[in-house]
DNA sequence: CGTTCGATGCACT
DNA sequence: GTGCATCGAACGT
């Protein structure tokens, strides 16, 4: 399990080093996990795309708290998105986890995704809304300590491959910042550039 | 291949 | 009442 010091660093550093780590969620119905292959950084009140852009609110409170804590919220009324809080208390910043390569308990994840999904491993945890559904992450997991709870991130010594940086996806502001980090050529990455 | 569009719930002003 | 850090179905080319 990654220690708090791992998260208490510059957010771009954490975003890159989270690649290849393993997000694990233990529930009553089983433990599911996947290797992180795509992340995005959201850094401070000066970042217009960060949820802290308008200052502290009830929803974004975890962003202002200790590093190594999960920030989960509901997006578009449908999808839960999970972040790892970074830097230090009082400095709102986090890394959004956007895609995983499935590892533990694929059958459970397929069940959670629903029968509409065919057994395509690369689509199972592709996209921030899809991976939370596969792992069973909801608002109940908001503010859980990633260093000491049923929701955690582990270093299993996996090698994900080379990474590249590009613009963040799905936002309408601060599009110029290239704060999205992903594994080159990994088929579980969302919004991959088709064609080489 | 590509683009469009509806679903859906809650925090926020 | 407004606006999302999305997804997938349903089209068009």
């Amino acid at each position: 399990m990654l220690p708090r010091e791992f998260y208490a660093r510059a957010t771009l550093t954490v975003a890159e080093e989270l690649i290849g780590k393993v997000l694990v969620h233990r529930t009553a119905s089983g433990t599911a996990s996947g290797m992180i292959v795509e992340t995005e950084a959201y850094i401070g009140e000066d970042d217009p795309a960060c949820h802290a852009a308008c200052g502290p609110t009830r929803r974004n409170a975890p962003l202002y708290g200790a590093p190594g804590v999960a920030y989960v919220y509901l997006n578009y009324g449908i999808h839960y998105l999970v972040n790892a809080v970074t830097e230090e208390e009082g400095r709102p910043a986090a890394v959004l986890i956007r895609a995983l390569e499935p590892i533990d308990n694929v059958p459970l994840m397929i069940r959670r995704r629903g029968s509409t999904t065919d057994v395509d491993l690369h689509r199972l945890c592709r996209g921030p809304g899809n991976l939370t559904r596969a792992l069973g992450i909801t608002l109940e997991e908001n503010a859980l300590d990633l260093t000491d709870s049923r929701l955690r991130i582990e270093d299993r010594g996996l090698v994900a491959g080379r990474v590249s940086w590009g613009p963040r996806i799905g936002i309408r502001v601060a599009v110029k910042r290239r704060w999205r980090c992903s594994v080159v050529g990994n088929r579980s990455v969302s919004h991959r550039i088709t064609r080489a």
Side-chain angles (χ1 to χ4, degrees):
Chain A
M1 198 149 41
L2 295 174
R4 194 166 319 283
E5 303 86 63
F6 178 92
Y7 302 95
R9 297 182 293 165
T11 303
L12 292 179
T13 303
V14 179
E16 177 158 353
E17 293 196 15
L18 276 177
I19 301 289
K21 303 299 189 291
V22 182
L23 180 64
V24 184
H25 190 206
R26 296 178 165 167
T27 68
S29 43
T31 299
S33 75
M35 181 179 73
I36 299 168
V37 295
E38 182 183 0
T39 60
E40 277 178 4
Y42 289 87
I43 310 175
E45 296 178 346
D46 294 334
D47 175 4
C50 182
H51 279 185
C54 296
T57 64
R58 186 155 82 257
R59 179 173 75 155
N60 68 23
L63 288 176
Y64 287 84
V69 167
Y71 169 49
V72 183
Y73 71 97
L74 178 64
N75 191 42
Y76 291 101
I78 301 175
H79 304 289
Y80 299 103
L81 273 56
V82 62
N83 298 250
V85 175
T86 60
E87 307 202 9
E88 61 189 59
E89 199 140 351
R91 194 183 303 174
V95 173
L96 169 70
I97 300 174
R98 287 195 55 93
L100 308 174
E101 199 175 283
I103 299 179
D104 295 310
N105 218 331
V106 168
L108 172 61
M109 293 195 278
I110 290 175
R111 221 178 308 139
R112 283 176 173 149
R113 285 294 310 274
S115 54
T116 55
T117 317
D118 53 337
V119 190
D120 182 349
L121 279 187
H122 297 111
R123 290 190 181 191
L124 192 53
C125 299
R126 176 191 294 169
N130 287 334
L131 74 90
T132 53
R133 204 158 126 220
L135 292 198
I137 296 171
T138 69
L139 237 39
E140 290 187 17
E141 279 68 45
N142 186 34
L144 282 184
D145 190 343
L146 291 170
T147 73
D148 181 30
S149 75
R150 64 179 182 273
L151 183 64
R152 54 182 60 186
I153 301 179
E154 300 174 358
D155 185 356
R156 297 189 185 176
L158 301 176
V159 180
R162 240 185 71 239
V163 302
S164 77
W165 291 89
R168 293 176 292 184
I169 286 174
I171 55 174
R172 308 161 77 105
V173 290
V175 179
K176 289 182 70 178
R177 298 179 188 183
R178 299 171 65 85
W179 286 355
R180 169 174 174 261
C181 186
S182 63
V183 178
V184 177
N186 190 291
R187 299 200 48 214
S188 292
V189 171
S190 71
H191 283 257
R192 289 156 307 138
I193 305 142
T194 49
R195 239 194 309 278

